[in-house]
Amino acid sequence: MIECGRDDRTCGGVLFRNDDWTLSEEGLEHRTGYFIERDALAERREENLWAWPLHMAEKRWCTPSLFREAFLVALDRFGIDRDAELAPSFAVGIGIRAGQGSVGEGFVSLAEIVRPRPVAPGRDAARAARTGRRTARVSARA
């Protein structure tokens, strides 16, 4: 990672660089040439999640940890406030690792794992019967 000050002429306009991403005053650029304009960094989707963590999760060539690092530096450098929706945006978009493999191996989007289901009445008791576990009992004694 290279981090340059705003007035550092030795970096040639580069504010930050890691193995994949370069940050300049114009925006964030991947080594493939993929470019995110500075003014677009704070874009949101309908559900108010940050657009870029979700969008970049769709790119097989994007290394999530390097994008996250560069994106967060860009927000800080350009004075874009982080909010409560930023962490969920990364979690839903980029996901979690299932195991110790590389990014392509064992990488599962959180949205693929977490799908809320309605709980049917008595479901806990039925599950306990199948698994042999006891359900909690409330004692009438005080």
Side-chain angles (χ1 to χ4, degrees), residues 17-22 28-35 60-63 66:
R17 179 179 291 144
N18 64 22
D19 288 344
D20 284 354
W21 295 91
T22 301
L28 197 53
E29 185 174 4
H30 189 267
R31 60 184 165 81
T32 61
Y34 191 90
F35 187 76
R60 289 193 160 301
W61 48 261
C62 180
T63 303
L66 294 175

Side-chain angles (χ1 to χ4, degrees), residues 24-87:
S24 68
E25 286 294 332
E26 290 78 35
L28 197 53
E29 185 174 4
H30 189 267
R31 60 184 165 81
T32 61
Y34 191 90
F35 187 76
I36 303 170
E37 291 182 21
R38 175 183 181 161
D39 293 340
L41 287 168
E43 287 180 357
R44 303 300 178 104
R45 293 213 176 159
E46 292 174 18
E47 59 278 2
N48 203 34
L49 294 175
W50 292 66
W52 289 107
L54 298 170
H55 183 73
M56 296 312 295
E58 299 167 358
K59 309 295 182 197
R60 289 193 160 301
W61 48 261
C62 180
T63 303
S65 60
L66 294 175
F67 170 71
R68 183 178 190 280
E69 176 186 38
F71 187 76
L72 295 177
V73 169
L75 296 182
D76 292 344
R77 286 294 181 120
F78 298 144
I80 300 170
D81 292 330
R82 301 177 188 193
D83 64 15
E85 297 303 321
L86 184 58

Side-chain angles (χ1 to χ4, degrees), residues 123-137:
R123 184 174 176 186
D124 289 336
R127 185 180 320 144
R130 285 194 311 273
T131 61
R133 294 183 182 164
R134 293 185 180 170
T135 58
R137 295 183 187 194

Side-chain angles (χ1 to χ4, degrees), residues 97-110:
R97 284 184 200 264
Q100 300 296 323
S102 67
V103 172
E105 297 175 30
F107 192 74
V108 181
S109 169
L110 187 60

